[in-house]
Amino acid sequence: MAFGLFKKKDQTQPAAKAGTDDTGSHYHDLKVKNIIQETKDAISIVFEQPSKKISYKSGQFLTLIVPVAGKEVRRAYSLCSSPFVDTDLAVSVKRVEKGLMSNWLPDHLKVGDTLKVMEPMGQFTTEYSSGNKRHLIMFAGGSGITPMMSIIKSLLTQEPDSICSLIYCNRDIDSIIFKNQFEVLQTQYEGRLHVIHILDNAPMNWQGLSGLLNKEMLTKLFERIPGCGLEKTTYLMCGPEGMMKNVETLLAEHQIPREKIFKESFVAGVLDKPRKDDQPAAEKKTRDVTIRYDGQEHVIAVPHNKTILETALDQGIDLPYSCQSGLCTACRGKALSGQVKLDEEEGLSKSERAEGYVLTCVGHPMTDDVVIEIG
Ligand SMILES: Cc1cc2nc3c(=O)[nH]c(=O)nc-3n(C[C@H](O)[C@H](O)[C@H](O)COP(=O)(O)OP(=O)(O)OC[C@H]3O[C@@H](n4cnc5c(N)ncnc54)[C@H](O)[C@@H]3O)c2cc1C
Ligand code: FES
């Protein structure tokens, strides 16, 4: 969601749509230039920028598309590179227990391989201006550091009067991704980047904080962090759901207005949750939906127990998507008419919903006149 000067929608750039190259294609084949073992269970994958450069914004993600066990699997990975600083594109992937893609990548991917990716997407972004004077306070947990890394590098280089404070929570010292890079950045941008580590299990000689982030700890942190509570302070968070809920509660207790708090969610909850079935039996019917995408119009019959995206994909219609759980907004479209019910509304802001935006991956038609425009 849009944070401060950040945007959560309207990702278009003046010259070309963010993420597309000058052919306008939504897909790219990217060559793996390097694989960096960041921690025991996290790697960074560095992709060579193709000759037709892919544009992106800090905070956006790439969708990696990989055939695993004969099936095409897509997952979103936030870019940790900055378009202002890094020549190449990079993502960092942390293993998830029994996870398909997050284990396949470190186990199988090699330097020199080519991976199919979808254009960069996502709205956890901002516009940078050298005249800005703002403070970003970031709360990250585990792999949630990736979009923050990109935003930090862009902010430090593009806005000389802005500062950034990062509160980074991890299981233990060996799980800290980019630990050395943050030390270098703190020295290089002295006084403008404050990194505070919090560990669940701290070693004996640990100088930082340990334990669960609680009210007392946050109050102390706010006393330590310069500029907290200033009007131009924006709060960003990305990490495990539990951590983000905790931070949201703590910030509310500190009277931080909701409109200053923005989060990026990684965890796909909806697929594991039982789907809400509050529809009266009489309304459980198949309805036609018209989808306009890439200059084409498709009419599909969507059964009550399927989403609009599922139905379109079943029929071989190539619509954009990534997380399939209502979090990433890769599948976002605007309902020009009709009513659409969303199983999960997390990915859209209130104003986006009011403007008629819907997510096809969690969307069901409630009327027979639904027309959705994507892109
Ligand atoms: C916008 C966006 C950006 C993302 N950026 C990153 C990133 O930069 N780095 C990164 O490592 N991941 C990122 N993710 C998460 C990533 O897309 C995958 O969900 C993750 O790698 C797990 O995929 P998998 O195929 O290994 O697991 P799956 O086979 O899909 O899932 C296995 C089980 O693990 C659970 N699970 C899924 N993700 C997590 C998680 N993060 N923590 C704990 N449990 C989980 C699932 O609910 C499921 O029960 C991002 C997700 C989104 C939506
Ligand atoms: S595919 Fe991610 S929100 Fe729909």
Side-chain angles (χ1 to χ4, degrees), residues 75-78 92-94 96 99-102 143 146 266 272:
R75 297 285 184 271
Y77 291 99
S78 298
S92 299
V93 180
K94 183 168 176 170
V96 166
L100 210 54
M101 176 84 91
S102 64
S143 60
T146 49
F266 279 5
D272 303 328

Side-chain angles (χ1 to χ4, degrees), residues 316-341:
I317 301 167
D318 183 23
L319 294 186
Y321 72 94
S322 184
C323 73
Q324 285 183 274
S325 46
L327 297 174
C328 75
T329 70
C331 65
R332 194 182 77 149
K334 192 168 187 174
L336 304 180
S337 67
Q339 275 177 33
V340 176
K341 178 171 81 83

Side-chain angles (χ1 to χ4, degrees), residues 92-137:
S92 299
V93 180
K94 183 168 176 170
R95 284 185 193 264
V96 166
E97 206 188 327
K98 299 202 176 107
L100 210 54
M101 176 84 91
S102 64
N103 290 295
W104 188 93
L105 290 166
D107 291 343
H108 294 90
L109 196 69
K110 296 185 298 302
V111 171
D113 285 353
T114 298
L115 266 193
K116 189 175 171 191
V117 307
M118 237 193 135
E119 61 191 0
M121 290 181 173
Q123 295 155 49
F124 194 59
T125 64
T126 186
E127 299 301 329
Y128 299 91
S129 161
S130 58
N132 285 347
K133 193 173 179 178
R134 56 179 162 163
H135 186 185
L136 299 187
I137 299 184

